[in-house]
Amino acid sequence: MSTSYKKYIKNLNKVSKKLKKQPLEKVDEEVKHLKKCFDIAYDNNCFKLYNYDKEVQDKLKLKMFSKLTKHSASLTFLAIQILAANAIMSKNNFPKREYYFKKKCGIAINHLRMKGSFVISEKCKGGYKLNGVLTWASGYQIFDHLLIGFHHKNSEMEVLTKFKETKGFKIVETPKTFVGQALNTVNIKLENFFIKDEDIVSSNPIGNYTKNKSLSKTVHYALYGLGLGALEHINDEKFKKISKNKLKKIKKDFLNSSNGEELDKIRIKLFNLLQNIITLSMIIDGGKSILKDRTLQRYYRELIMFNANGLNQNIKTLFIEEYLNR
């Protein structure tokens, strides 16, 4: 085991101890608390995985999500985004890569998986002008930069820009949800918003993002971490042991898979398993489990948050098919 690996684990344990001292029941609701938790993890290099090879990255991601998610799935939601931004940057050699590695970068690229173009561009001197709407951009006032996806002719492109209101970049709406208010998820209207050529991160044929995302296990890691947190709140030892074994088995399944379609199916099984574990844990816990400051109640809402955001039609169809085949 390398020195850098050991140092990362040491930092991760230190972060976990610091997070325990935060008012975790408020982290989903108030941006100042979520920002503090995010900054604790960021300042201790929890999200700086791009210098490790892929195999080590995957091991450290699992370690990280196993630690962080039980404290706050909203924090993990942001972690997924900055890890995605860093991963995209690490795969592309563009002029300001090292500069942006030092920034807190979120993402607004999920619309690239949808049919049609939500953000279109016009080439102009020194860059592009963007028009359209970026929906569900999370981490406003937490991330300082944003990785934006857009279409240009037959290509899907990605560019980095500051995540703040400026000419042509307008925060038009903050959607209300029943969980994760502190994520400060916003919609952004782009009106002839100018971006420079030097800030372009990538240009690929349309469909590239969808292809790469289908093989990602990041959400599996995060859901698994939520399951580990739920185990700590089960008051029935027999139920706890059974749940632990089921979670261990499904972890083995997704770790051993490299097939996108199979991973989608495992994700659905993992979601349903966690929903059963959390719900039954709340039933065992009785009426007090629905108190707003109870961890299991928060886990239930956060679980729904993970599986209602960014789902493509294929995963939605698989959820329905799984239900009909029970």
Side-chain angles (χ1 to χ4, degrees), residues 173-190:
E173 185 180 349
T174 303
K176 299 298 181 183
T177 67
F178 82 118
V179 64
Q181 284 296 319
L183 288 168
N184 257 16
T185 299
V186 299
N187 291 340
I188 301 161
K189 189 172 184 180
L190 304 174

Side-chain angles (χ1 to χ4, degrees), residues 174-228:
T174 303
K176 299 298 181 183
T177 67
F178 82 118
V179 64
Q181 284 296 319
L183 288 168
N184 257 16
T185 299
V186 299
N187 291 340
I188 301 161
K189 189 172 184 180
L190 304 174
E191 295 180 318
N192 290 323
F193 178 59
F194 178 72
I195 48 101
K196 297 179 181 178
D197 284 330
E198 66 184 29
D199 293 317
I200 297 292
V201 177
S202 73
S203 177
N204 293 288
I206 291 176
N208 180 72
Y209 176 66
T210 300
K211 178 182 176 182
N212 288 332
K213 189 172 178 63
S214 68
L215 297 174
S216 173
K217 299 180 183 179
T218 306
V219 173
H220 298 72
Y221 296 156
L223 290 174
Y224 173 74
L226 195 63
L228 291 180

Side-chain angles (χ1 to χ4, degrees), residues 99-149:
Y99 170 81
Y100 282 117
F101 271 146
K102 298 175 184 177
K103 302 298 180 181
K104 301 172 185 175
C105 297
I107 58 173
I109 55 178
N110 275 340
H111 59 277
L112 292 178
R113 291 185 295 141
M114 307 293 286
K115 292 182 179 180
S117 298
F118 287 77
V119 179
I120 58 175
S121 65
E122 177 187 347
K123 189 70 179 81
C124 56
K125 184 178 180 180
Y128 296 81
K129 288 183 179 180
L130 305 184
N131 284 278
V133 177
L134 298 168
T135 57
W136 296 89
S138 296
Y140 181 53
Q141 299 176 324
I142 298 175
F143 292 128
D144 49 42
H145 285 73
L146 194 64
L147 182 70
I148 294 173

Side-chain angles (χ1 to χ4, degrees), residues 137-163:
S138 296
Y140 181 53
Q141 299 176 324
I142 298 175
F143 292 128
D144 49 42
H145 285 73
L146 194 64
L147 182 70
I148 294 173
F150 66 95
H151 284 146
H152 183 73
K153 296 183 178 178
N154 294 320
S155 297
E156 57 183 40
M157 302 179 70
E158 293 156 324
V159 64
L160 278 156
T161 187
K162 290 182 179 179
F163 195 177

